[in-house]
Amino acid sequence: MIHSLFLINNTGDIFLEKHWKSVIGRSVCDYFFEAKDKAGDPENVPPVLQTPHHYLISIYRGKLFLLSVIQSEVSPLFVIEFLHRVADTIQDYFGECSENVIKENLVIVYELLEEMLDNGFPLATESNVLKEMIRPPNILRSVVNTLTDTLPTGQLSNVPWRRAGVKYTNNEAYFDVIEEIDAIIDKSGTTVFAEIQGAIEACVRLTGIPDLTLSFMNPRLLDDVSFHPCVRFKRWEAERVLSFIPPDGNFTLMTYHISSQNLVAIPVYVKQNISFFDTASCGRLDITIGPKQTMGKMVEGLSVTIPMPKSVHSANLTATQGSYTFDLATKVLVWDIGKLNPQKLPNLKGSLSIQSGVPKPEENPSLSIGLKVQQLAISGIKVNRLDMYGEKYKPFKGVKYVTKAGKFQVRT
Amino acid sequence: MTDSKYFTTNKKGEIFELKAELNNEKKEKRKEAVKKVIAAMTVGKDVSSLFPDVVNCMQTDNLELKKLVYLYLMNYAKNQPDMAIMAVNSFVKDCEDPNPLIRALAVRTMGCIRVDKITEYLCEPLRKCLKDEDPYVRKTAAVCVAKLHDINAQMVEDQGFLDSLRDLIADSNPMVVANAVAALSEISESHPNSNLLDLNPQNINKLLTALNECTEWGQIFILDCLSNYNPKDEREAQSICERVTPRLSHANSAVVLSAVKVLMKFLELLPKDSDYYNTLLKKLSPPLVTLLSGEPEVQYVALRNINLIVQKRPEILKQEIKVFFVKYNDPIYVKLEKLDIMIRLASQANIAQVLAELKEYATEVDVDFVRKAVRAIGRCAIKVEQSAERCVSTLLDLIQTKVNYVVQEAIVVIRDIFRKYPNKYESIIATLCENLDSLDEPDARAAMIWIVGEYAERIDNADELLESFLEGFHDESTQVQLTLLTAIVKLFLKKPSETQELVQQVLSLATQDSDNPDLRDRGYIYWRLLSTDPVTAKEVVLSEKPLISEETDLIEPTLLDELICHIGSLASVYHKPPNAFVEGSHGIHRKHLPVQHSSIDTGESPVSSGPAANIEQTHVIPSQGDLLGDLLNLDLGPRSTCPRCPPLTVLIACNSVLLLQVWLPAVKAKGLEISGTFTRRQGQMYMDMTFTNKALQHMTDFAVQFNKNSFGVIPTSPLPVHTPLMPNQNIELSLPLNTIGPVMKMDPLNNLQVAVKNNIDVFYFSVLIPLNIFFVEDGKMERQVFLATWKDIPNENELQYQIKECHLNADTVSGKLQNSNIYTIAKRNVEGQDMLYQSLKLTNGIWILAELRIQPGNPNYTVLYSNFATETCVKV
């Protein structure tokens, strides 16, 4: 299984290494650096590499690489999932997964890695269990250090995701239904492809061992779902309700996917024209955004991101609403619009100048749209009710809906 | 307070200072010091010289400090084996601790100290821990066996730890089961006997129970283990599938993919027509699509696996092509994989969308991706014939962009399109030639040269174009040189008068001025060919080229089946079997898909019977009109031929023509094989034929013609062959016939001479038409007329014949004959014999009457044929 782990920042420095079996020299990473140089962008480094004696499986998160060294035939997804879990845990403990944070908490990170993997086999990866053994760095840490002498209860119970003896004065369970629209719109405005990635994020702070049941008004919409291990699959299959003993705190209860074969509502339309002239070294840009299928809700947080061709030198534009920035180094144009006013459609217009002597760009830049619609799940999914069994008290309950743009791209 | 402070000690006496702190009296100070040591260690500093001081801190009640010391020990024990022994006592003591957490921690850490001397002391504590009352300790101990095996395999076997592990499979705690499975799987990778885990239905049942309750990682181990099991029958396979299917909805993508592996493998065992089989296929699609919404790394592995699944079972994802559309900010490795799958899923139904996408991709920034997109357009053209025209015009559009690498890539694929559809798109050659100067890559130059050489007769200035390449001959890559040599030779063979000089030049460049043996050899061969036998040279150089296949880079089926067994593993990412790249993989046995058992050979082991072979059933053409055949198919014995009574001979002869037989063997017709038979259906005559192309080139422009014949048979429509016949393809067709054509007496009477033409040549063959297809439906003669006619027939027109060994009674015979339009007019019984009087009428209006004598108990029949107008038939 997983032999060693190296944490590498995006300039190529190894700043942490952990070996679960014998020690493997850092030189093994040279193959990775070679691939990294070849790929150019750190995002483009292939996740599975082969070297004469090892396999290197890596993920790229938060501007750093988690690189694992493998010596035998394994399931690469196993490793990739585990590496993401490591990053998740670090994020959970310290608020973010970055080089600075890890360097500041090196020993805890090292302890965590030791607890998460034994001989390359995952040991404790549930954040609840880990937190019982290794306290996150807060004031409590020094005080309750001695608590760790007891066996973490989650390790062996039937509900390994929940720690025992949870107590709250305010018992509350909140669920956020978050839907992201992934779409490709072609230059004529036709939807080439659109699908919805949905997730129900839960924040549950309930005393004892509550048993929750969540039901939907229209469960038939959900035919492609992935559940947190706490969800009882049998009941979902039979009754289409989510029945579960929740982990303590924040977790993703389920994710779902509404495929491109269903009709997906697109909240905005984009009229755009980006062209470069053959003769003069300049081009024009004209973008207007208007509401399409907003279900009567306000579209907020509207933004447009355009990675411009490398030869674009500067942009001289006027926005009727919001502001724009053009990053000279990355050549990314960002137009921050804010709320969409259906009466007065936002427009961005003006000229682009190109470095002189460079031929006119061949590629057509794609637009990435960002947006947010509160109190709306664009798929139409609705939670019907939430019931709690097993405990006597009456919890606060709440469900929020929000629709966002995921990978929402408009081609030009 | 953060850990970064541990790095701020001054450089000078860092180790010295730490040493002092480690020996401090205060516990808190010592803990801080150990933390500093660990911090230094994690960033790769060498703090091994502090070993004795750190080990001294081990005897403590503070669990955190204990853990930190253990961390240090694991890292440095190897360098200081003698010192490490000092820690042994402490470990052994901890293994007896009342706290299960400490027991587990001790056994876990001991296993990580890779020192032989320590492992000796580990055996006893480990044996106890494997039987510990606390499952947490047992599951830790299970992993420890795997660690120990890695250090000292022989000892693990001798101590019987492998058996203990096998016992743990039956443990009551699912986590213990999962870890035991994981440990056994890892050991078996390096173990000569890879079948450590003896899978039987009882074990499987335990694993399936544990599957529901263990952690996500444990589920992966168990699923991977399940996939090695071979269910004994489809019922068992189905019940396992039913219990694995819920895993497809797991949030962990590795669980999902491992479940997919089990299902893909066991699908082989399910009957294809069962409802469950189809339900299962439908269930596989959504989880695969969901994998594509994960992190890019997950997407990559998923895509590599989907690539295999799509080749094995295209039906699963054929509706989902849109999820493979590329987003501009996908990482390049995801883009390239998506593109691959898009081409595999491209079909006539979605080709318009796919082409629109590909055209979009061809204008992106990333050069590798753009190139692959252009290549993909070419592959679509070759794969979906209906789209070829659109693909070509899309490619032409792209060439117009004049983007250098796009043009080059386009030219390479256009060459392939030319090869696939010869004589169809040559009109674009002119456009291609315009870009000649911009080509600087060997592939593109070679492609262009090939095109010019191949179509030299259509390009006016072909000689000039090729000559221009010749100038820098020695700077070209070998590929271009070879192509150029061949192209000029082709040109010379096509236009010998104007290009003599050119060919001389290239031959001398290739043979005299080149160091490359391949090039020299080819040059010499051409030279000799041209100088000794120009005709043969023409045949060799300008011979028809074999067609290129529709699907490129398909994985060979047996490898594909093996890779399906490795879904989710590194093998599935590399598309290579594990023994091709895993070091020291002697323990890995090649895996095969299970084979569906037929009801008879259930005893056979699916492993030994190898991968499921898709044996195509031999296509049997149902022989029509076998009713008369039935009668005449009996052993007729030696027969006396009577030249004066052709119908009979013919009738008897016809029995051999009823089955499909080869009329024109491939060797006589440059690879075209025709087999066929004649039938009569609903009052219409047909010639049912199968054309098989056994040549290497495709065949088109089929036509058929008959010579004048006795019955005036002619085809009523042209040959219904509209598409080119590809190599190794066959086509079945039915040619309707009628008898209104010119008549000429043939010998034998039912001889038919046929000419078949195709783009290669014209071929002749002759066949005997079975007479029964001429028997018309209104062949039932009035009783009175029959009697009158029977008497009128002159004796010399009569013929008697015996049919032997026919065990049918009069009524069955009569019924059978009627089905062939031979009608029984009367039946009577004379002296115990059944006499059947029959009539039939031919298409040309000739009546034939017969008397059939059947003696019950005697299988021999006597037939008396009377032909009223044999001579008429002969005369006409």
Side-chain angles (χ1 to χ4, degrees):
Chain A
M1 285 273 108
I2 301 169
H3 207 110
S4 303
L5 175 74
F6 293 94
L7 298 191
I8 301 167
N9 63 17
N10 63 353
T11 55
D13 301 322
I14 303 169
F15 62 91
L16 187 146
E17 58 183 288
K18 167 86 184 115
H19 307 275
W20 283 276
K21 295 184 175 181
S22 52
V23 177
I24 293 175
R26 286 185 171 201
S27 58
V28 74
C29 297
D30 293 347
Y31 296 99
F32 172 78
F33 295 133
E34 204 177 291
K36 183 171 168 284
D37 289 343
K38 217 168 106 191
D41 257 352
E43 283 95 352
N44 287 340
V45 183
V48 183
L49 294 171
Q50 191 180 356
T51 79
H53 303 286
H54 305 94
Y55 310 98
L56 305 178
I57 299 181
S58 62
I59 63 164
Y60 182 67
R61 251 180 81 163
K63 296 216 161 64
L64 53 93
F65 291 98
L66 284 80
L67 174 75
S68 60
V69 184
I70 314 290
Q71 240 173 348
S72 57
E73 170 68 272
V74 294
S75 153
L77 270 190
F78 183 113
V79 181
I80 289 169
E81 281 278 348
F82 177 80
L83 294 177
H84 277 291
R85 203 60 59 86
V86 170
D88 289 343
T89 308
I90 293 173
Q91 199 162 352
D92 191 32
Y93 263 70
F94 315 112
E96 60 171 324
C97 178
S98 68
E99 187 184 354
N100 276 341
V101 155
I102 294 172
K103 274 187 171 164
E104 278 172 21
N105 299 285
L106 257 185
V107 178
I108 301 182
V109 172
Y110 206 73
E111 283 179 288
L112 279 173
L113 290 176
E114 180 60 29
E115 279 312 323
M116 289 181 83
L117 217 56
D118 177 21
N119 193 38
F121 298 120
L123 192 62
T125 54
E126 285 291 337
S127 143
N128 274 306
V129 175
L130 286 169
K131 279 184 181 161
E132 268 183 81
M133 293 188 285
I134 301 158
R135 294 285 158 189
N138 51 29
I139 310 137
L140 275 179
R141 186 173 156 86
S142 49
V143 181
V144 291
N145 247 343
T146 44
L147 277 181
T148 55
D149 281 14
T150 54
L151 184 66
T153 48
Q155 283 268 16
L156 286 167
S157 72
N158 278 336
V159 279
W161 52 85
R162 189 171 179 88
R163 66 190 169 97
V166 182
K167 265 210 170 89
Y168 289 103
T169 41
N170 291 327
N171 288 295
E172 43 193 25
Y174 298 117
F175 295 89
D176 289 357
V177 180
I178 301 166
E179 296 196 338
E180 294 194 351
I181 306 170
D182 284 358
I184 301 175
I185 314 283
D186 76 5
K187 56 182 110 177
S188 64
T190 321
T191 307
V192 176
F193 156 85
E195 60 178 16
I196 297 170
Q197 310 288 354
I200 300 184
E201 300 284 351
C203 172
V204 179
R205 298 177 192 282
L206 297 173
T207 306
I209 302 187
D211 197 332
L212 302 180
T213 308
L214 186 95
S215 63
F216 296 98
M217 306 273 265
N218 37 12
R220 224 172 305 150
L221 282 172
L222 305 171
D223 63 342
D224 182 3
V225 288
S226 307
F227 296 122
H228 188 277
C230 69
V231 176
R232 297 180 179 103
F233 191 75
K234 283 255 160 65
R235 286 204 61 192
W236 170 258
E237 281 225 308
E239 304 164 50
R240 298 273 138 175
V241 296
L242 299 178
S243 159
F244 55 99
I245 294 171
D248 185 41
N250 298 320
F251 65 99
T252 305
L253 179 61
M254 71 180 285
T255 59
Y256 56 93
H257 175 247
I258 292 177
S259 75
S260 55
Q261 284 164 31
N262 299 44
L263 274 180
V264 174
I266 304 291
V268 294
Y269 69 83
V270 180
K271 267 198 220 160
Q272 39 70 27
N273 180 24
I274 302 175
S275 53
F276 300 98
F277 301 118
D278 281 321
T279 46
S281 54
C282 65
R284 288 203 59 75
L285 179 147
D286 188 346
I287 301 172
T288 311
I289 300 189
K292 208 172 169 187
Q293 291 154 293
T294 58
M295 317 285 169
K297 299 279 198 296
M298 170 77 81
V299 177
E300 331 167 6
L302 202 55
S303 70
V304 179
T305 308
I306 314 167
M308 284 292 177
K310 294 284 173 251
S311 54
V312 173
H313 183 57
S314 66
N316 185 13
L317 308 167
T318 357
T320 58
Q321 186 187 339
S323 59
Y324 79 92
T325 55
F326 181 66
D327 187 324
L328 287 177
T330 58
K331 312 282 184 190
V332 175
L333 178 77
V334 180
W335 177 27
D336 241 317
I337 303 166
K339 283 185 183 162
L340 177 65
N341 178 359
Q343 268 72 50
K344 195 169 160 289
L345 300 181
N347 170 271
L348 180 72
K349 202 162 144 180
S351 65
L352 304 164
S353 64
I354 303 173
Q355 275 168 317
S356 52
V358 177
K360 120 183 161 120
E362 285 136 9
E363 76 264 21
N364 306 320
S366 284
L367 280 54
S368 263
I369 309 294
L371 60 84
K372 204 159 137 185
V373 186
Q374 301 277 14
Q375 282 138 41
L376 172 73
I378 197 103
S379 67
I381 198 84
K382 260 204 145 61
V383 173
N384 185 23
R385 53 182 298 145
L386 176 74
D387 297 306
M388 187 183 77
Y389 305 94
E391 296 288 337
K392 292 268 175 337
Y393 56 86
K394 224 174 143 45
F396 296 103
K397 301 181 279 194
V399 179
K400 269 199 311 192
Y401 300 91
V402 64
T403 297
K404 295 177 186 171
K407 290 175 187 156
F408 193 116
Q409 307 184 348
V410 181
R411 290 177 179 159
T412 62
Chain B
M1 208 159 50
T2 65
D3 295 339
S4 53
K5 66 181 175 340
Y6 301 128
F7 299 107
T8 51
T9 40
N10 62 11
K11 280 265 151 34
K12 198 175 152 202
E14 196 180 358
I15 296 288
F16 179 78
E17 254 178 46
L18 282 172
K19 205 179 182 82
E21 282 177 46
L22 283 170
N23 292 311
N24 196 298
E25 280 170 19
K26 284 192 190 140
K27 205 165 76 180
E28 276 308 303
K29 277 267 184 210
R30 289 209 299 272
K31 195 165 126 190
E32 286 299 298
V34 174
K35 276 195 173 183
K36 283 185 195 170
V37 173
I38 301 287
M41 184 179 86
T42 56
V43 293
K45 280 184 196 161
D46 184 14
V47 283
S48 59
S49 56
L50 295 169
F51 199 89
D53 308 282
V54 176
V55 170
N56 274 340
C57 301
M58 194 174 165
Q59 295 286 3
T60 170
D61 305 332
N62 186 309
L63 190 65
E64 203 194 354
L65 182 56
K66 200 186 258 303
K67 275 192 190 171
L68 290 171
V69 175
Y70 280 179
L71 276 179
Y72 178 89
L73 267 175
M74 281 186 253
N75 220 14
Y76 287 118
K78 185 123 190 140
N79 303 342
Q80 314 253 354
D82 295 331
M83 298 293 255
I85 296 291
M86 286 165 36
V88 164
N89 262 339
S90 163
F91 277 124
V92 174
K93 216 177 92 197
D94 281 355
C95 284
E96 307 276 336
D97 198 279
N99 184 343
L101 194 62
I102 301 216
R103 291 202 297 276
L105 185 64
V107 76
R108 186 176 132 203
T109 314
M110 266 179 104
C112 293
I113 297 177
R114 306 175 62 85
V115 176
D116 270 345
K117 280 182 196 156
I118 288 211
T119 48
E120 286 166 25
Y121 294 97
L122 180 58
C123 290
E124 279 320 301
L126 178 59
R127 202 186 311 282
K128 262 186 222 158
C129 287
L130 280 167
K131 297 207 159 59
D132 199 286
E133 52 170 19
D134 196 303
Y136 181 71
V137 180
R138 291 202 299 277
K139 94 176 184 144
T140 314
V143 175
C144 191
V145 175
K147 295 179 192 171
L148 207 55
H149 187 269
D150 193 30
I151 303 165
N152 191 341
Q154 194 54 46
M155 191 177 74
V156 170
E157 294 230 12
D158 296 346
Q159 298 277 339
F161 285 135
L162 291 182
D163 293 326
S164 314
L165 267 188
R166 279 191 209 109
D167 293 343
L168 288 183
I169 299 280
D171 199 281
S172 58
N173 186 292
M175 258 75 98
V176 178
V177 176
N179 273 15
V181 169
L184 279 173
S185 310
E186 188 176 86
I187 292 171
S188 59
E189 262 180 40
S190 57
H191 196 274
N193 170 16
S194 72
N195 204 12
L196 285 179
L197 232 171
D198 179 30
L199 293 173
N200 54 44
Q202 290 79 36
N203 279 347
I204 291 293
N205 205 24
K206 287 195 182 106
L207 293 182
L208 285 168
T209 314
L211 178 64
N212 281 330
E213 291 167 21
C214 65
T215 65
E216 50 200 307
W217 314 109
Q219 292 183 13
I220 301 168
F221 293 128
I222 292 181
L223 286 169
D224 285 348
C225 179
L226 278 177
S227 73
N228 290 329
Y229 178 62
N230 286 301
K232 61 177 189 299
D233 56 21
E234 59 181 70
R235 280 234 322 276
E236 196 185 7
Q238 178 170 342
S239 88
I240 295 175
C241 287
E242 278 165 2
R243 294 174 73 175
V244 166
T245 322
R247 300 299 122 210
L248 293 175
S249 295
H250 203 285
N252 186 318
S253 61
V255 175
V256 175
L257 202 55
S258 291
V260 168
K261 163 162 58 185
V262 176
L263 297 175
M264 279 296 285
K265 211 175 155 187
F266 289 3
L267 260 178
E268 296 291 320
L269 290 169
L270 301 174
K272 306 267 174 296
D273 44 0
S274 67
D275 288 346
Y276 184 71
Y277 176 86
N278 291 308
T279 327
L280 198 52
L281 275 187
K282 281 199 198 90
K283 279 190 177 166
L284 278 171
S285 148
L288 289 173
V289 171
T290 302
L291 290 180
L292 298 179
S293 51
E295 289 86 1
E297 297 92 4
V298 174
Q299 287 184 42
Y300 172 73
V301 177
L303 285 165
R304 291 294 286 173
N305 280 285
I306 287 172
N307 201 329
L308 296 174
I309 293 170
V310 161
Q311 288 182 57
K312 180 72 189 169
R313 296 187 183 276
E315 62 271 31
I316 293 176
L317 285 165
K318 66 167 188 272
Q319 302 293 340
E320 299 287 353
I321 191 156
K322 282 186 174 181
V323 300
F324 301 103
F325 286 1
V326 172
K327 304 195 175 79
Y328 80 90
N329 47 2
D330 282 335
I332 181 73
Y333 56 82
V334 168
K335 284 182 177 176
L336 296 175
E337 292 303 320
K338 279 189 174 173
L339 202 50
D340 235 15
I341 295 168
M342 272 173 71
I343 302 162
R344 293 208 195 283
L345 288 176
S347 68
Q348 209 182 326
N350 55 28
I351 194 73
Q353 279 177 316
V354 172
L355 264 184
E357 281 296 303
L358 293 176
K359 200 175 172 186
E360 194 71 42
Y361 305 159
T363 61
E364 283 221 20
V365 209
D366 193 288
V367 178
D368 282 345
F369 181 58
V370 170
R371 282 173 178 276
K372 193 158 183 175
V374 175
R375 237 175 295 150
I377 297 174
R379 273 169 70 183
C380 282
I382 289 163
K383 191 176 171 193
V384 187
E385 190 177 349
Q386 290 81 355
S387 75
E389 194 135 3
R390 280 158 79 179
C391 295
V392 170
S393 78
T394 307
L395 288 169
L396 278 182
D397 287 351
L398 291 173
I399 289 177
Q400 302 301 349
T401 63
K402 304 274 178 202
V403 179
N404 190 275
Y405 52 84
V406 173
V407 173
Q408 311 215 36
E409 204 63 56
I411 284 182
V412 174
V413 297
I414 284 177
R415 174 192 53 190
D416 292 344
I417 295 176
F418 279 178
R419 291 229 12 215
K420 170 81 183 185
Y421 308 109
N423 309 315
K424 217 164 165 192
Y425 299 111
E426 282 73 15
S427 52
I428 65 172
I429 289 177
T431 322
L432 303 184
C433 291
E434 288 167 18
N435 294 287
L436 215 57
D437 300 333
S438 62
L439 308 179
D440 52 11
E441 291 163 20
D443 271 346
R445 287 174 81 84
M448 192 65 219
I449 293 168
W450 184 89
I451 292 171
V452 174
E454 187 66 18
Y455 299 100
E457 69 272 31
R458 313 206 183 177
I459 306 170
D460 293 337
N461 58 343
D463 46 346
E464 286 171 34
L465 294 176
L466 291 177
E467 201 170 356
S468 69
F469 282 105
L470 206 54
E471 282 161 18
F473 189 77
H474 288 299
D475 302 327
E476 300 281 3
S477 71
T478 314
Q479 180 195 7
V480 177
Q481 289 175 331
L482 287 170
T483 321
L484 187 55
L485 172 63
T486 308
I488 292 179
V489 173
K490 278 185 194 163
L491 171 71
F492 171 70
L493 288 168
K494 287 173 177 175
K495 302 178 179 172
S497 49
E498 312 130 56
T499 55
Q500 196 128 20
E501 210 171 296
L502 192 61
V503 81
Q504 292 268 325
Q505 204 182 338
V506 76
L507 285 175
S508 77
L509 278 171
T511 52
Q512 286 158 24
D513 303 336
S514 170
D515 298 333
N516 185 319
D518 286 345
L519 187 63
R520 273 206 315 261
D521 281 359
R522 196 184 285 191
Y524 279 126
I525 289 171
Y526 283 147
W527 204 324
R528 258 167 235 166
L529 261 176
L530 291 174
S531 54
T532 52
D533 188 352
V535 180
T536 315
K538 211 162 187 162
E539 263 173 46
V540 171
V541 181
L542 302 180
S543 66
E544 286 279 341
K545 278 152 289 292
L547 273 185
I548 52 174
S549 78
E550 294 181 9
E551 295 271 1
T552 40
D553 57 64
L554 273 185
I555 294 173
E556 185 255 325
T558 48
L559 175 60
L560 179 62
D561 283 352
E562 192 183 351
L563 289 176
I564 290 287
C565 301
H566 290 283
I567 282 176
S569 68
L570 283 166
S572 71
V573 174
Y574 292 124
H575 291 184
K576 285 181 202 160
N579 52 6
F581 60 91
V582 174
E583 276 195 344
S585 62
H586 58 275
I588 294 181
H589 290 248
R590 302 196 74 141
K591 293 185 186 174
H592 297 298
L593 282 180
V595 179
Q596 192 170 353
H597 310 275
S598 68
S599 51
I600 313 157
D601 60 2
T602 36
E604 201 186 357
S605 142
V607 182
S608 62
S609 46
N614 256 338
I615 301 164
E616 206 175 302
Q617 293 242 315
T618 330
H619 199 87
V620 182
I621 301 203
S623 72
Q624 316 271 344
D626 54 349
L627 309 143
L628 184 65
D630 249 5
L631 178 65
L632 298 168
N633 224 0
L634 313 162
D635 185 6
L636 293 174
R639 77 189 115 143
S640 58
T641 42
C642 170
R644 290 197 53 231
C645 300
L648 180 70
T649 6
V650 166
L651 239 185
I652 290 165
C654 74
N655 70 338
S656 54
V657 199
L658 287 166
L659 292 170
L660 196 69
Q661 52 170 220
V662 176
W663 288 341
L664 180 68
V667 283
K668 286 195 182 163
K670 304 194 176 164
L672 177 66
E673 188 185 82
I674 300 177
S675 50
T677 184
F678 289 90
T679 62
R680 188 179 186 91
R681 299 191 287 267
Q682 282 97 41
Q684 171 75 45
M685 295 183 286
Y686 291 95
M687 196 166 165
D688 287 339
M689 288 181 284
T690 304
F691 283 34
T692 310
N693 182 353
K694 297 195 167 171
L696 287 172
Q697 61 190 112
H698 71 292
M699 297 177 177
T700 52
D701 310 323
F702 285 99
V704 69
Q705 218 170 12
F706 294 173
N707 198 357
K708 287 184 210 165
N709 55 69
S710 317
F711 292 91
V713 176
I714 51 161
T716 50
S717 68
L719 264 189
V721 187
H722 306 298
T723 49
L725 188 58
M726 295 306 157
N728 281 322
Q729 264 189 353
N730 61 36
I731 184 165
E732 292 171 50
L733 51 95
S734 223
L735 186 66
L737 310 172
N738 65 22
T739 50
I740 54 169
V743 175
M744 182 177 82
K745 193 199 161 196
M746 302 296 291
D747 190 20
L749 199 63
N750 58 338
N751 194 8
L752 175 68
Q753 293 175 338
V754 184
V756 170
K757 167 199 158 285
N758 65 11
N759 60 330
I760 300 166
D761 208 337
V762 184
F763 312 103
Y764 302 95
F765 62 93
S766 62
V767 292
L768 297 178
I769 309 176
L771 256 199
N772 57 315
I773 74 154
F774 295 112
F775 300 170
V776 295
E777 276 70 20
D778 60 346
K780 184 159 186 160
M781 205 175 234
E782 289 287 339
R783 239 184 127 103
Q784 297 307 316
V785 184
F786 183 91
L787 274 172
T789 322
W790 187 259
K791 285 180 187 152
D792 283 349
I793 294 172
N795 275 350
E796 55 268 33
N797 277 5
E798 278 186 9
L799 181 119
Q800 192 166 342
Y801 189 74
Q802 283 214 331
I803 300 170
K804 287 176 181 153
E805 301 292 333
C806 183
H807 301 270
L808 295 169
N809 67 31
D811 286 339
T812 341
V813 170
S814 160
K816 280 183 174 264
L817 290 175
Q818 180 150 352
N819 282 331
S820 293
N821 298 340
I822 304 175
Y823 298 93
T824 305
I825 310 298
K827 177 186 166 189
R828 57 181 185 145
N829 194 300
V830 181
E831 299 157 5
Q833 290 184 354
D834 280 323
M835 314 276 279
L836 294 178
Y837 291 95
Q838 285 151 323
S839 74
L840 61 92
K841 189 180 156 192
L842 296 175
T843 46
N844 50 7
I846 295 170
W847 289 90
I848 296 173
L849 311 180
E851 180 193 59
L852 188 65
R853 232 177 273 165
I854 301 168
Q855 212 166 3
N858 181 350
N860 297 349
Y861 297 179
T862 306
V863 192
L864 183 73
Y865 270 96
S866 299
N867 187 340
F868 183 62
T870 311
E871 289 312 308
T872 356
C873 164
V874 176
K875 259 183 260 159
V876 180

